[in-house]
Amino acid sequence: MDEEIQFYLSDAEESMGKAIAHVGVEMGRIRAGKASPAMLDGLRVDYYGTPTPVSQIANISAPDPRSLLIKPWEKNMVSEVAKAIKNSDLGLNPIADADGVRLNIPPMTEERRRDLVKQAKNEAESGKVRVRGIRKDVNEALRKLQKDGAPEDAVKDAEAKVQKYTDGHIAEVDKLFTKKESEIMTI
């Protein structure tokens, strides 16, 4: 029984860690006023008939805080990259030249900043919901173990550990949100 309890505890911690990592990735996709190659993570380019992430066909750099430079490894892909950016929901105008595509990132309005903070808050909240869902699933599994004969003390201790994991991971989500909020609101 102890191995099973330990299995559920390590599974809970691993799953909560993955939920936090997911929140981190989603927060990274939210534009915070500065140009970042991560802004293009979701962008797919038609690469000889196959939708391919732009990072797999080009080098993306941020030469300054207000622009991105995308240099495809194949010169004939410059127009495809520009077309993909125009057709995306990024709201950016690509400037194509012979070597690559430049994106000028306009400064954000106060209203846009507030919208992005709301988006970040929603991501944080969904991360917390995921963590709490993991806690619920693990606690149900532990109670089932107790019905199957596991000692009540061991199950109660395990539930306390799961709650401790939950509290720690929710605090981590709050830290991610606070950091992103200050990034977005800093002009």
Side-chain angles (χ1 to χ4, degrees):
M1 286 292 172
D2 280 350
E3 300 98 41
E4 284 185 78
I5 290 174
Q6 202 52 48
F7 168 78
Y8 283 120
L9 289 175
S10 60
D11 186 48
E13 195 164 24
E14 183 183 335
S15 297
M16 287 179 186
K18 287 179 182 174
I20 299 302
H22 180 75
V23 170
V25 167
E26 292 303 317
M27 291 284 185
R29 288 188 178 152
I30 297 173
R31 182 161 90 90
K34 286 191 290 198
S36 161
M39 293 168 59
L40 302 177
D41 280 353
L43 184 67
R44 299 211 178 272
V45 177
D46 183 19
Y47 185 68
Y48 300 108
T50 306
T52 307
V54 70
S55 60
Q56 291 182 11
I57 64 159
N59 186 26
I60 305 168
S61 61
D64 59 71
R66 291 271 175 241
S67 66
L68 285 176
L69 185 60
I70 306 156
K71 287 195 170 215
W73 296 309
E74 297 176 29
K75 301 285 184 224
N76 61 332
M77 294 308 296
V78 171
S79 62
E80 288 295 329
V81 170
K83 189 166 74 173
I85 292 167
K86 271 186 189 147
N87 296 336
S88 73
D89 61 353
L90 292 171
L92 299 172
N93 282 327
I95 302 165
D97 60 31
D99 292 340
V101 178
R102 180 173 292 278
L103 292 174
N104 291 319
I105 312 297
M108 290 191 287
T109 63
E110 185 69 24
E111 184 181 347
R112 179 72 178 133
R113 289 179 191 277
R114 290 189 203 290
D115 289 345
L116 291 174
V117 168
K118 281 182 193 168
Q119 186 181 344
K121 192 172 190 72
N122 289 340
E123 285 301 332
E125 199 52 48
S126 69
K128 289 180 186 181
V129 166
R130 267 189 233 99
V131 168
R132 290 185 193 119
I134 293 164
R135 175 189 61 189
K136 179 178 165 265
D137 294 345
V138 170
N139 282 342
E140 284 174 2
L142 290 170
R143 287 191 200 101
K144 187 176 183 305
L145 275 182
Q146 185 178 343
K147 283 181 186 167
D148 294 344
E152 187 176 342
D153 293 351
V155 170
K156 291 289 179 207
D157 289 347
E159 285 178 345
K161 282 183 183 173
V162 169
Q163 185 59 48
K164 191 172 148 192
Y165 296 160
T166 303
D167 295 342
H169 285 87
I170 284 180
E172 216 170 308
V173 169
D174 287 336
K175 261 193 259 178
L176 285 170
F177 170 69
T178 304
K179 181 177 173 227
K180 192 63 180 184
E181 182 182 32
S182 70
E183 277 178 25
I184 292 170
M185 295 312 281
T186 302
I187 297 175

